Amino acid sequence: MKNLEIDIETYSSVNLQKSGVYRYVEAEDFEILLFGYSIDGGEVMVVDLVSGEKIPQEILDALNNEEVTKWAFNAQFERICLSRYLSDIGISLDPFHDNHPLSKEMTRYLNPSSWRCSMVWSAYMGLPLSLEGVGAVLGLEKQKLTEGKDLIRYFCVPCTPTKSNGGRIRNLPSNDEEKWQRFKDYNKRDVETEIQIQQRLIKFPVPEDIWDEYHLDQEINDRGIKVDMDFVKQAIAMDEISHEKLMSAMQQLTELDNPNSVQQMKGWLSENGMETETLGKKAVAELLKDAPEHLAEVLKLRQQLAKSSVKKYTAMENAICADSRARGMFQFYGANRTGRFAGRLVQLQNLPQNHMPDLKEARGIVKTGDYETLEMLYEDIPDTLSQLIRTAFVPKEGNKFIVADFSAIEARVLSWLAGEEWRTGVFASGGDIYCASASQMFKVPVEKHGVNGHLRQKGKIAELALGYGGSVGALKAMGALEMGLEEDELKPLVNAWRTSNQNIVKFWWDVDRVVKKCIKENKPQEAYNIKFHCMSGMLFIVLPSGRQLAYVKPRMGENIFGGESVTYEGVGGTKKWERIESYGPKFVENIVQAISRDILMYAMKTLRMCSIVAHVHDEVIIETDPRMSIDSVCEQMGRVPPWAKGLLLNADGYECDFYKKD
């Protein structure tokens, strides 16, 4: 046996979507219902565990055998569920078989190193992240059965007790034998579909380096990060008190039944001489500029109420495992156009920033549950709780966090690729790219907190908004008008940035040209140490690291301006599979972000033995012994991969007793 294809169906009273698989398998009532498998692509067998059938011994042995490659679509689910199952039947997950406490701690789950994930393979090829979606795009003969969702709802989650079902809280095979047989057929079909996916993608194997990255990702997900649950519970309780007080104050001022209702509030404002089409964050901030005092008071309360959200705290509560660690928060290759990670459950990628100077003190007050003191010291309680969300993540006892991140990684990669030497000079001298950009644009010296310091903000906005072909619209989306820029300043700002970065602009349109040529002529192209080729209805962009970006069914089309454009199939803005239009600067954005991702992965591999517990964008969070130095971590992170000669990297870091933004 070389390969074992697996698909399982399970039951648990824990909500999988809200809590993730690690918490899901900890439920007392968790069990595996069906175990579908195929050995080396042979006949698919289904083991009906509910009806008393047993998984054959050779299959149980294979699950713990590093020489046998285990395949599944979203393999993390199968691996973690089977870890619980094997533990329940008395099979040790410890590869050393020495019963040492450290071995047991390190082998909570099956070792991911012999597992492969068909979903990762699909993502690597630019395909959907669902079995059903991949089957449809590839036009497989045996696609996932569409009735699966109904069957899962019937057998895999608790049901509502009613008179008609005899008051039961779950459905068993005996409750509908015909459905159960269809469920077994569904389980079998999933394995068949997975095998077919592999057969169709066999010409495009995932490089071993990428599988190694996947295994590292699984190690980090398995390790998890500790959450201070005492603090989280108090934060949720305080938010409830704050929400009630804000609602009460608004009701008194407006006499509305539900002042949180957009329609009711818009009506009340209209009656009081203030018209608005929306009550979004930006709109309320704009209304406040000219609002009379009695209306301003209500609008400020609404602002606070809008912030009064504990979704992140409740997400932590849902995801937490028995040892107070949250697991499964990162999806490998979640963004398949770049290969970047996607966030799951708590969504670390979009946590509110913290700007409070007394973060530790505020956190301590919340943890003790002293609402009165918090209210006395901090006027805006929702904002305070929002800024404290990061601090819920803590190192285990006796350890500290080291947080290290790359400085301006995308700007550095873009400058390196395009050969924009003045920018490279800024990075080489340790300068501030925002000041340097403003200086280059406005032809005057710019120093942070010094001469012409007011121009730095314009340089920053330009850098963040314009690097990938953005224009006036991108500046507005970045908040340029809210930051004090005038409408008539925007277009000159775009022109000034592009004039100052002519090599980057040239890079955009050179990439645009070679992509079009590659698709039209079906011949390989190369530019800026990046290779482009078409094969089997796919466009591949080969990065300096050797990793490929894949675009499905590329072809030439026409844009809204009547010019030619490149289109391909992928998940668009509607979250549906559709044809997407692209052009040079957009491809450059994908390339730069993908290379930045490869650099992060290179750093994470370098730091593999340092107990990485989380990573956010270009930042790594390490749980470590107090003796480890920040400088050593930053030095390792700043190592330039061998395929990126000439790239200048820099990493900064800090240590903390709870997670925060330095």
Side-chain angles (χ1 to χ4, degrees):
M1 187 190 307
K2 290 184 178 179
N3 293 286
L4 182 63
E5 191 75 44
I6 303 167
D7 185 81
I8 62 175
E9 308 300 340
T10 58
Y11 176 88
S12 171
S13 54
V14 170
N15 187 307
L16 180 61
Q17 301 306 315
K18 287 184 178 179
S19 301
V21 65
Y22 294 89
R23 173 69 188 87
Y24 176 85
V25 302
E26 287 189 354
E28 286 188 16
D29 55 9
F30 167 83
E31 65 174 315
I32 295 177
L33 309 174
L34 298 172
F35 181 93
Y37 69 94
S38 164
I39 299 172
D40 296 329
E43 184 185 357
V44 177
M45 308 299 291
V46 174
V47 181
D48 184 346
L49 291 161
V50 181
S51 303
E53 295 177 7
K54 303 287 185 188
I55 298 173
Q57 190 60 46
E58 67 164 335
I59 304 298
L60 293 175
D61 293 342
L63 293 174
N64 232 347
N65 184 348
E66 302 300 302
E67 301 299 312
V68 178
T69 303
K70 277 73 68 176
W71 284 92
F73 198 93
N74 187 15
Q76 184 186 66
F77 180 80
E78 268 72 14
R79 182 174 64 83
I80 302 306
C81 289
L82 286 164
S83 298
R84 164 72 193 269
Y85 174 79
L86 293 177
S87 298
D88 283 353
I89 62 173
I91 296 177
S92 171
L93 308 181
D94 172 17
F96 305 106
H97 304 292
D98 59 0
N99 288 317
H100 191 280
L102 190 60
S103 299
K104 288 180 177 179
E105 186 186 343
M106 298 301 289
T107 54
R108 184 184 295 266
Y109 309 106
L110 284 163
N111 187 342
S113 64
S114 61
W115 287 75
R116 299 285 188 274
C117 181
S118 309
M119 184 170 74
V120 169
W121 199 347
S122 300
Y124 187 75
M125 294 302 298
L127 295 167
L129 296 180
S130 71
L131 190 59
E132 188 177 7
V134 177
V137 172
L138 294 180
L140 300 182
E141 181 187 342
K142 291 188 176 180
Q143 295 190 24
K144 186 180 180 79
L145 297 174
T146 54
E147 64 177 335
K149 286 181 182 175
D150 292 335
L151 293 168
I152 287 169
R153 200 177 299 115
Y154 189 81
F155 290 114
C156 299
V157 299
C159 64
T160 305
T162 62
K163 281 186 180 179
S164 60
N165 71 10
R168 66 175 183 266
I169 57 170
R170 80 172 275 192
N171 296 311
L172 297 168
S174 56
N175 299 126
D176 195 323
E177 291 180 4
E178 187 189 341
K179 266 187 183 172
W180 184 249
Q181 185 54 52
R182 293 209 307 273
F183 199 33
K184 289 162 74 171
D185 294 341
Y186 167 79
N187 180 231
K188 183 180 181 183
R189 174 60 64 87
D190 273 5
V191 181
E192 292 170 343
T193 305
E194 288 162 24
I195 293 170
Q196 280 201 321
I197 289 170
Q198 291 177 43
Q199 290 170 343
R200 287 290 292 273
L201 300 180
I202 198 73
K203 289 191 293 185
F204 309 102
V206 176
E208 284 302 314
D209 276 355
I210 303 298
W211 285 127
D212 187 44
E213 291 174 359
Y214 168 69
H215 297 144
L216 173 56
D217 163 79
Q218 294 296 285
E219 289 168 22
I220 294 168
N221 274 305
D222 286 1
R223 185 175 294 123
I225 184 168
K226 188 173 171 63
V227 178
D228 185 341
M229 286 309 297
D230 292 336
F231 168 76
V232 168
K233 285 173 179 165
Q234 291 292 0
I236 293 170
M238 285 193 174
D239 182 79
E240 286 174 6
I241 298 169
S242 170
H243 187 274
E244 285 174 16
K245 286 195 169 189
L246 288 168
M247 283 289 285
S248 177
M250 286 183 74
Q251 280 172 332
Q252 282 185 335
L253 289 168
T254 63
E255 296 182 348
L256 294 172
D257 294 332
N258 179 15
N260 207 25
S261 159
V262 173
Q263 285 304 114
Q264 286 187 36
M265 182 54 66
K266 279 167 63 177
W268 184 84
L269 288 169
S270 178
E271 288 169 11
N272 285 269
M274 182 176 277
E275 299 293 338
T276 181
E277 289 187 9
T278 173
L279 287 172
K281 187 177 173 182
K282 285 186 178 179
V284 173
E286 200 62 34
L287 291 170
L288 270 166
K289 289 179 182 177
D290 305 310
E293 192 175 336
H294 70 291
L295 295 185
E297 193 177 352
V298 172
L299 289 169
K300 284 176 184 175
L301 287 170
R302 181 163 183 92
Q303 274 186 324
Q304 289 189 48
L305 204 59
K307 279 184 187 171
S308 180
S309 172
V310 289
K311 286 181 180 174
K312 296 286 187 189
Y313 288 119
T314 52
M316 293 176 199
E317 215 175 22
N318 288 330
I320 204 76
C321 293
D323 61 353
S324 294
R325 297 182 81 87
R327 294 182 170 87
M329 291 190 291
F330 309 99
Q331 182 169 339
F332 186 73
Y333 242 92
N336 61 4
R337 276 199 279 285
T338 61
R340 283 186 157 191
F341 293 82
R344 293 292 179 263
L345 304 174
V346 183
Q347 294 286 0
L348 265 68
Q349 279 81 352
N350 60 3
L351 293 176
Q353 290 196 350
N354 51 260
H355 305 287
M356 299 167 63
D358 53 350
L359 207 63
K360 188 174 181 179
E361 290 76 10
R363 186 184 189 279
I365 295 168
V366 171
K367 190 166 178 176
T368 59
D370 189 349
Y371 185 89
E372 286 73 21
T373 302
L374 194 74
E375 190 176 40
M376 183 174 66
L377 296 176
Y378 304 95
E379 187 179 336
D380 192 337
I381 297 241
D383 182 64
T384 303
L385 292 175
S386 180
Q387 290 198 50
L388 289 172
I389 287 171
R390 291 173 188 265
T391 74
F393 295 110
V394 293
K396 66 183 180 184
E397 195 170 342
N399 279 231
K400 67 178 181 182
F401 281 154
I402 287 179
V403 183
D405 72 335
F406 290 110
S407 160
I409 181 74
E410 286 190 33
R412 290 168 182 266
V413 170
L414 182 60
S415 306
W416 169 67
L417 285 171
E420 201 66 79
E421 289 185 9
W422 73 264
R423 297 167 70 92
T424 305
V426 172
F427 296 128
S429 64
D432 183 310
I433 188 64
Y434 302 141
C435 288
S437 188
S439 181
Q440 193 81 1
M441 289 158 65
F442 301 111
K443 309 301 179 192
V444 293
V446 179
E447 294 176 13
K448 192 175 182 180
H449 309 307
V451 61
N452 295 315
H454 66 286
L455 292 175
R456 183 182 184 271
Q457 189 64 18
K458 294 182 180 181
K460 183 175 182 178
I461 292 169
E463 281 295 313
L464 296 174
L466 306 179
Y468 304 122
S471 187
V472 171
L475 287 170
K476 287 181 177 177
M478 197 61 70
L481 299 178
E482 287 82 6
M483 293 177 190
L485 271 76
E486 300 295 329
E487 182 87 37
D488 57 5
E489 287 185 273
L490 300 185
K491 187 60 179 169
L493 197 62
V494 174
N495 295 338
W497 191 90
R498 291 184 179 182
T499 302
S500 303
N501 294 278
Q502 292 182 26
N503 285 332
I504 290 176
V505 174
K506 183 176 181 294
F507 178 35
W508 297 342
W509 302 115
D510 283 348
V511 168
D512 189 78
R513 177 177 51 78
V514 296
V515 168
K516 287 174 178 173
K517 192 173 180 182
C518 182
I519 294 168
K520 286 177 183 175
E521 299 179 7
N522 197 23
K523 290 180 181 175
Q525 306 292 323
E526 186 169 351
Y528 299 86
N529 197 27
I530 300 162
K531 296 172 182 171
F532 306 79
H533 70 274
C534 290
M535 181 180 174
S536 302
M538 307 284 285
L539 166 69
F540 293 101
I541 299 178
V542 186
L543 304 172
S545 64
R547 186 168 68 91
Q548 297 187 142
L549 305 182
Y551 298 83
V552 180
K553 299 176 184 176
R555 67 175 186 229
M556 299 306 299
E558 188 177 292
N559 60 30
I560 56 172
F561 306 108
E564 64 176 10
S565 67
V566 174
T567 67
Y568 63 91
E569 290 183 8
V571 178
T574 62
K575 305 295 182 186
K576 293 179 181 176
W577 191 259
E578 59 189 14
R579 190 152 282 277
I580 299 166
E581 187 179 295
S582 196
Y583 65 120
K586 192 68 187 172
F587 284 116
V588 166
E589 181 178 22
N590 289 353
I591 290 165
V592 170
Q593 290 186 349
I595 292 172
S596 301
R597 173 261 182 216
D598 289 348
I599 291 165
L600 176 69
M601 282 305 322
Y602 183 80
M604 284 167 61
K605 283 184 180 180
T606 304
L607 297 165
R608 192 170 200 155
M609 304 311 291
C610 294
S611 284
I612 299 169
V613 292
H615 48 91
V616 186
H617 302 303
D618 306 313
E619 175 184 89
V620 172
I621 307 166
I622 294 170
E623 182 181 65
T624 183
D625 185 285
R627 293 169 295 179
M628 180 178 274
S629 79
I630 299 165
D631 291 345
S632 63
V633 171
C634 291
E635 185 184 338
Q636 292 301 314
M637 271 194 78
R639 288 176 60 193
V640 178
W643 45 264
K645 287 179 179 152
L647 174 64
L648 298 173
L649 290 179
N650 185 52
D652 296 312
Y654 54 94
E655 60 182 48
C656 45
D657 295 326
F658 47 77
Y659 181 46
K660 60 181 182 179
K661 270 293 181 194
D662 195 32

